[in-house]
Amino acid sequence: MVTLVGILDLARFQFAMTTIFHFFFVPMSIGLAVVVALMETLYVIKKDETYKKMTQFWGKIFLLSFAVGVVTGIIQEFQFGMNWSEYSRYVGDIFGAPLAIEALVAFFAESTFIGLWSFTWDRFKPAIHLIFIWVVAFASSISALWILAANSFMQNPVGYAIDNHMGRAELKSFGALLTNKQLWIEFPHVLVGTFVTGGFIVAGMAAFKLLKLKKGDKQIDFFRKSINVALVVGLVGVGGALITGDQHAFELQSMQPMKYAAMEGVDTTLDSSKRKDKAQPWSLISVTSPATHRVIAKIEIPYALSILGNHSLTGGKTTGTTELEKQFEKKYGKTTGGIKNYYVPENTLFYSFRVMAMGAGLLGLVAVVALWFNRKKSNLILSQRWFLWVMGVMTFFPFVVNTAGWLVTELGRFPWVVYGLMTIADAVSPNVSAASLLISNIIYFLTFAALGGVMIWLSRRVLHAGPDAEEEAEASPRDPYEHLSGSEVEA
């Protein structure tokens, strides 16, 4: 039993590690593709060479993120077959279909047009060349759509039938997979999140560069324009994330009520009709005991949950986790698939949700202030160096927000790997050993650390070199013998 628990925990840790690290680069590459495409669009429209330089310069960061994203994606898919063979056997017919389409259609299109865009600057007219990067951005988004179609089935299984003879689920309606309600609340939310990520990475890196430039440097205009373009994309993403996130949370009340109750810190059913104020309060802070699953401390804001969850000043009802536990025990059984109960990690979901939501709000505030400071007739963005540091730190903040969002999504369906259909304990590979999992976890961690380190190092090199690095190198080619002294050359 100890070995089994160890295997399950190690397999779950590996899934979490590979998924989170891969998802660092998925929204980064999609978001950067959109930012770069917008910059090239401005070049084609305005005929301003600065925008062409911006496209080529930030395109280098995009290509780096794409390359690392491919490697981390391969590792993530590999660990499915290694650690979750029972899951693959049981729902592989369904889960594999959208992933196969993603690889054969979206990813191939993305890769092909990245090559065309990268190596044909002087071979096509600007308007034709622009099409290539927009195809890349579109294909990247469609790639995310297919992956999320697979994930949405895990959250809300549809379009399947159980083959009792073979002991597996089979896909009966591909259309149902594509029209899954979960997909169309999850995909828009993830997509606008990529805008936030790409926008703030460019803006943050540009802010770091401005801190290094001296007054009057010709690169200042380049990086100020980069900030404006990037933050317009980022601000659109923040607005979209707040709208789609609100819709997502609203639908969770019926689709995954345990997740929603944990996100809001509701252990005992909260019925506004039984309260004097006829409204639901919202918990700003909540602490739940892992042993009893009861809230032991909280700070509430009156009316707020009715506004957020019911879209009204009053009304609404949130079923508590303790009541939901009884309902699930009655529906699925008390010890189904080796689990003891149906509670989710309440504290993790509660605070991850707030990090995600409040983090998006903070990014939006920074974007508004930055665009005001960086307006045409103002030099506030240069004189307020403290704010440039704030923007620089915001380079990394979208990764925190995205990770918090995925923790809510994935941990919120615990203890299910496919909601209501297959438990996590039933999905793990029966023949994998604790030793092999431990070794592979160490190898993957070191690989990810190396990839992340190389990505940061190369990005810093690109940023430090600046947008004119290639032109300067061509204008003053290095002497291949400059490292030798005069006497050595004569000899």
Side-chain angles (χ1 to χ4, degrees), residues 44 183 230 288-289 314 361 369 378 406 411 427 489:
V44 171
L183 173 62
T288 301
S289 167
T314 59
V369 174
S378 172
W406 268 113
L411 291 176
V489 173

Side-chain angles (χ1 to χ4, degrees), residues 75 131 468:
I75 293 173
I131 294 173
D468 300 318

Side-chain angles (χ1 to χ4, degrees), residues 187-218:
F187 173 64
H189 191 55
V190 170
L191 186 61
V192 293
T194 68
F195 298 169
V196 177
T197 306
F200 278 91
I201 285 173
V202 170
M205 292 181 68
F208 276 132
K209 186 65 176 180
L210 287 174
L211 284 166
K212 298 289 185 181
L213 297 177
K214 296 180 180 179
K215 187 176 181 180
D217 194 302
K218 63 179 183 179

Side-chain angles (χ1 to χ4, degrees), residues 26-42 54-55 58-59 62-63 65 110 114 117 130 132-142 187 190-200 202 226 229-237:
V26 171
M28 181 179 178
S29 60
I30 297 175
L32 285 174
V34 172
V35 173
V36 170
L38 182 57
M39 288 174 174
E40 188 167 358
T41 301
L42 291 171
M54 286 163 59
T55 304
W58 296 111
F62 159 66
L63 292 174
S65 68
E110 186 180 6
I114 280 178
W117 179 77
L130 172 64
F132 298 155
I133 189 62
W134 276 115
V135 171
V136 170
F138 178 75
S140 299
S141 301
I142 296 301
F187 173 64
V190 170
L191 186 61
V192 293
T194 68
F195 298 169
V196 177
T197 306
F200 278 91
V202 170
S226 295
V229 174
L231 286 185
V232 167
V233 175
L235 196 56
V236 169

Side-chain angles (χ1 to χ4, degrees), residues 226-445:
S226 295
I227 286 174
N228 281 342
V229 174
L231 286 185
V232 167
V233 175
L235 196 56
V236 169
V238 169
L242 294 175
I243 293 170
T244 57
D246 174 73
Q247 182 63 27
H248 200 165
F250 187 78
E251 296 294 344
L252 282 178
Q253 295 178 62
S254 57
M255 293 176 65
Q256 293 182 333
M258 184 70 85
K259 179 191 291 187
Y260 179 79
M263 283 164 45
E264 301 300 354
V266 179
D267 59 341
T268 304
T269 298
L270 194 57
D271 191 343
S272 59
S273 65
K274 297 179 181 179
R275 292 174 57 89
K276 289 183 180 179
D277 57 7
K278 301 300 180 184
Q280 299 180 87
W282 180 75
S283 295
L284 177 64
I285 295 174
S286 176
V287 179
T288 301
S289 167
T292 64
H293 301 285
R294 292 284 186 173
V295 175
I296 55 178
K298 60 183 175 181
I299 297 176
E300 293 182 330
I301 300 175
Y303 298 96
L305 187 55
S306 286
I307 296 170
L308 295 171
N310 196 50
H311 296 168
S312 174
L313 186 61
T314 59
K317 177 182 178 181
T318 301
T319 306
T321 56
T322 52
E323 184 175 333
L324 288 168
E325 171 65 21
K326 294 176 182 176
Q327 293 178 10
F328 287 0
E329 285 182 3
K330 185 177 180 180
K331 183 176 182 179
Y332 301 113
K334 288 189 176 182
T335 56
T336 300
I339 61 172
K340 295 180 180 179
N341 56 60
Y342 298 91
Y343 288 108
V344 296
E346 295 101 335
N347 292 317
T348 303
L349 263 67
F350 182 87
Y351 288 105
S352 293
F353 177 67
R354 276 147 187 76
V355 167
M356 177 181 61
M358 295 180 183
L362 176 61
L363 288 169
L365 177 63
V366 170
V368 170
V369 174
L371 288 170
W372 173 253
F373 279 9
N374 201 35
R375 64 192 189 278
K376 263 189 178 181
K377 297 181 179 180
S378 172
N379 285 318
L380 279 172
I381 195 73
L382 301 177
S383 61
Q384 304 299 317
R385 292 179 64 82
W386 65 270
F387 188 72
L388 286 175
W389 277 108
V390 170
M391 284 184 61
V393 172
M394 291 299 107
T395 305
F396 310 100
F397 209 65
F399 297 104
V400 176
V401 172
N402 289 334
T403 300
W406 268 113
L407 287 175
V408 172
T409 300
E410 297 300 285
L411 291 176
R413 69 167 182 265
F414 184 85
W416 305 104
V417 65
V418 181
Y419 195 80
L421 187 62
M422 186 181 200
T423 66
I424 297 171
D426 285 339
V428 73
S429 299
N431 297 322
V432 69
S433 68
S436 65
L437 273 168
L438 181 60
I439 292 169
S440 60
N441 269 316
I442 293 171
I443 292 173
Y444 288 165
F445 180 82

Side-chain angles (χ1 to χ4, degrees), residues 471-480 482:
E471 293 180 7
E472 291 171 356
E474 291 175 3
S476 56
R478 292 183 62 185
D479 181 356
E482 66 182 357

